[in-house]
CSV table of all heavy atoms in Angstrom, one decimal:
chain,number,residue,atom,x,y,z
A,313,ARG,N,10.5,-19.6,-11.7
A,313,ARG,CA,11.6,-20.1,-12.5
A,313,ARG,C,11.1,-21.4,-13.2
A,313,ARG,O,11.5,-21.7,-14.3
A,313,ARG,CB,12.8,-20.4,-11.6
A,313,ARG,CG,14.0,-21.0,-12.3
A,313,ARG,CD,15.1,-21.1,-11.3
A,313,ARG,NE,15.6,-19.8,-10.9
A,313,ARG,CZ,16.6,-19.2,-11.6
A,313,ARG,NH1,17.1,-19.7,-12.7
A,313,ARG,NH2,17.0,-18.0,-11.1
A,314,ARG,N,10.4,-22.2,-12.5
A,314,ARG,CA,9.9,-23.5,-13.1
A,314,ARG,C,8.9,-23.2,-14.3
A,314,ARG,O,9.0,-23.8,-15.3
A,314,ARG,CB,9.2,-24.4,-12.1
A,314,ARG,CG,8.8,-25.7,-12.6
A,314,ARG,CD,8.1,-26.5,-11.6
A,314,ARG,NE,6.7,-26.0,-11.2
A,314,ARG,CZ,5.6,-26.2,-12.0
A,314,ARG,NH1,5.7,-27.0,-13.0
A,314,ARG,NH2,4.5,-25.7,-11.6
A,315,ARG,N,8.1,-22.2,-14.1
A,315,ARG,CA,7.1,-21.9,-15.2
A,315,ARG,C,7.9,-21.3,-16.4
A,315,ARG,O,7.4,-21.4,-17.5
A,315,ARG,CB,6.1,-20.9,-14.7
A,315,ARG,CG,5.1,-21.4,-13.6
A,315,ARG,CD,4.2,-22.4,-14.2
A,315,ARG,NE,3.3,-21.9,-15.2
A,315,ARG,CZ,2.0,-21.5,-15.0
A,315,ARG,NH1,1.5,-21.7,-13.8
A,315,ARG,NH2,1.3,-21.1,-16.0
A,316,PHE,N,9.0,-20.7,-16.2
A,316,PHE,CA,9.8,-20.1,-17.3
A,316,PHE,C,10.9,-20.9,-17.8
A,316,PHE,O,11.7,-20.5,-18.6
A,316,PHE,CB,10.3,-18.7,-16.8
A,316,PHE,CG,9.3,-17.7,-16.5
A,316,PHE,CD1,9.4,-16.9,-15.4
A,316,PHE,CD2,8.2,-17.5,-17.3
A,316,PHE,CE1,8.4,-15.9,-15.1
A,316,PHE,CE2,7.2,-16.6,-17.0
A,316,PHE,CZ,7.3,-15.8,-15.9
A,317,HIS,N,11.1,-22.2,-17.3
A,317,HIS,CA,12.3,-22.9,-17.5
A,317,HIS,C,12.6,-23.2,-19.0
A,317,HIS,O,13.7,-23.4,-19.4
A,317,HIS,CB,12.2,-24.3,-16.8
A,317,HIS,CG,11.3,-25.3,-17.5
A,317,HIS,ND1,9.9,-25.3,-17.3
A,317,HIS,CD2,11.5,-26.3,-18.3
A,317,HIS,CE1,9.4,-26.2,-18.0
A,317,HIS,NE2,10.3,-26.9,-18.6
A,318,SER,N,11.5,-23.2,-19.8
A,318,SER,CA,11.7,-23.5,-21.2
A,318,SER,C,12.3,-22.3,-22.0
A,318,SER,O,12.6,-22.4,-23.2
A,318,SER,CB,10.4,-23.9,-21.9
A,318,SER,OG,9.4,-22.9,-21.8
A,319,SER,N,12.4,-21.1,-21.4
A,319,SER,CA,12.9,-19.9,-22.0
A,319,SER,C,14.1,-19.4,-21.2
A,319,SER,O,13.9,-18.9,-20.1
A,319,SER,CB,11.8,-18.8,-22.2
A,319,SER,OG,12.4,-17.6,-22.6
A,320,GLU,N,15.3,-19.4,-21.8
A,320,GLU,CA,16.5,-18.9,-21.0
A,320,GLU,C,16.4,-17.5,-20.8
A,320,GLU,O,16.8,-17.0,-19.7
A,320,GLU,CB,17.7,-19.3,-21.9
A,320,GLU,CG,19.0,-18.9,-21.2
A,320,GLU,CD,20.2,-19.2,-22.0
A,320,GLU,OE1,20.1,-19.9,-23.0
A,320,GLU,OE2,21.3,-18.8,-21.6
A,321,TRP,N,15.8,-16.7,-21.8
A,321,TRP,CA,15.7,-15.3,-21.6
A,321,TRP,C,14.7,-15.0,-20.4
A,321,TRP,O,15.0,-14.1,-19.6
A,321,TRP,CB,15.1,-14.7,-22.9
A,321,TRP,CG,15.0,-13.2,-22.8
A,321,TRP,CD1,15.9,-12.2,-23.2
A,321,TRP,CD2,13.8,-12.4,-22.3
A,321,TRP,NE1,15.4,-11.0,-23.0
A,321,TRP,CE2,14.2,-11.0,-22.4
A,321,TRP,CE3,12.6,-12.8,-21.8
A,321,TRP,CZ2,13.3,-10.1,-22.0
A,321,TRP,CZ3,11.7,-11.8,-21.4
A,321,TRP,CH2,12.1,-10.4,-21.5
A,322,ALA,N,13.6,-15.7,-20.3
A,322,ALA,CA,12.7,-15.4,-19.3
A,322,ALA,C,13.2,-15.7,-17.9
A,322,ALA,O,13.1,-15.0,-16.9
A,322,ALA,CB,11.4,-16.2,-19.5
A,323,VAL,N,14.0,-16.8,-17.8
A,323,VAL,CA,14.6,-17.2,-16.6
A,323,VAL,C,15.6,-16.2,-16.1
A,323,VAL,O,15.7,-15.9,-14.9
A,323,VAL,CB,15.3,-18.6,-16.7
A,323,VAL,CG1,16.2,-18.9,-15.5
A,323,VAL,CG2,14.3,-19.7,-16.9
A,324,LYS,N,16.3,-15.6,-17.0
A,324,LYS,CA,17.4,-14.6,-16.7
A,324,LYS,C,16.8,-13.3,-16.4
A,324,LYS,O,17.4,-12.5,-15.5
A,324,LYS,CB,18.3,-14.5,-17.9
A,324,LYS,CG,19.5,-13.6,-17.6
A,324,LYS,CD,20.5,-13.6,-18.8
A,324,LYS,CE,21.7,-12.7,-18.5
A,324,LYS,NZ,22.6,-12.6,-19.7
A,325,HIS,N,15.7,-12.9,-17.0
A,325,HIS,CA,15.2,-11.5,-16.8
A,325,HIS,C,13.9,-11.3,-16.0
A,325,HIS,O,13.5,-10.2,-15.8
A,325,HIS,CB,14.9,-11.0,-18.3
A,325,HIS,CG,16.2,-10.8,-19.1
A,325,HIS,ND1,16.6,-11.7,-19.9
A,325,HIS,CD2,17.0,-9.7,-19.1
A,325,HIS,CE1,17.7,-11.3,-20.5
A,325,HIS,NE2,18.0,-10.0,-20.0
Side-chain angles (χ1 to χ4, degrees):
R313 180 178 291 273
R314 185 181 69 82
R315 291 292 297 258
F316 296 136
H317 76 278
S318 61
S319 171
E320 182 179 352
W321 182 91
V323 170
K324 184 178 180 181
H325 292 92

